[in-house]
Amino acid sequence: MDRDRPGSKMHVLSDANGLPLLVGVSAANTHDSEGLEAMIEGHQTRHDPHRGRHFKPQRLHADKAYDRADLRKWLRGRRIGVRSARKGIESSERLGRRRWVIERTMSWLSGYRRLSPRFERDPRNYLAFLGLAAALCCYKRLVRLTT
């Protein structure tokens, strides 16, 4: 937690391939885990009308900042598996095989000029530019896969 740090933090929920599904912004002086519930709640599940079932996230890979008992219990209640490094028990190096995907996604998003450093004073404008950058990342991936 950065107590007196001005600015904002990007929160990104991505799929297993690194495509940003949902983006969010919070103040820099809040803990990372504070935005997790809002991100999971904001993620819409897809419905398959032919099979009559919903597709929802199955696993969450996170770092030690998200190792809280209340978050683990909340995610288990939603039937989402939790795979995060435990504080004092596990090294986060083992999670590097999966976490590099989100680190790469964060790198893609911060590569856009309007996002890093933050020029926007209004958080709604910053969130809009972050959403636009996420849409551009998805579009670039789509173009690369179809050509």
Side-chain angles (χ1 to χ4, degrees):
M1 181 182 316
D2 300 323
R3 302 216 189 296
D4 291 329
R5 182 176 174 204
S8 58
K9 289 183 183 178
M10 289 190 289
H11 298 279
V12 179
L13 185 67
S14 75
D15 67 353
N17 296 319
L19 289 177
L21 300 174
L22 192 65
V23 293
V25 176
S26 70
N29 62 353
T30 60
H31 196 267
D32 290 338
S33 62
E34 297 293 323
L36 180 65
E37 288 183 21
M39 294 292 283
I40 299 292
E41 287 288 333
H43 178 63
Q44 296 178 354
T45 58
R46 292 182 300 161
H47 178 69
D48 186 2
H50 301 292
R51 294 184 183 168
R53 62 183 230 188
H54 290 274
F55 294 97
K56 64 177 184 67
Q58 296 175 354
R59 280 182 297 276
L60 176 74
H61 295 274
D63 58 3
K64 289 184 182 184
Y66 296 93
D67 182 31
R68 288 184 17 198
D70 59 330
L71 286 178
R72 286 180 180 277
K73 184 177 178 181
W74 184 78
L75 287 168
R76 280 192 207 113
R78 297 188 148 289
R79 297 186 178 156
I80 298 174
V82 181
R83 181 69 179 107
S84 65
R86 293 280 183 97
K87 292 179 183 174
I89 297 174
E90 224 177 320
S91 170
S92 60
E93 293 174 4
R94 288 185 51 203
L95 290 174
R97 295 182 303 234
R98 304 272 194 271
R99 282 200 51 236
W100 70 271
V101 175
I102 192 67
E103 297 296 335
R104 179 185 63 185
T105 304
M106 296 294 280
S107 174
W108 287 343
L109 292 175
S110 36
Y112 287 96
R113 213 177 88 180
R114 290 300 290 247
L115 297 178
S116 182
R118 179 179 171 177
F119 293 114
E120 302 299 323
R121 295 183 67 94
D122 189 2
R124 292 177 296 187
N125 291 346
Y126 185 72
L127 181 61
F129 280 118
L130 185 59
L132 184 61
L136 286 172
C137 288
C138 292
Y139 176 72
K140 287 179 180 180
R141 177 66 70 90
L142 178 68
V143 167
R144 191 170 45 160
L145 290 176
T146 58
T147 56

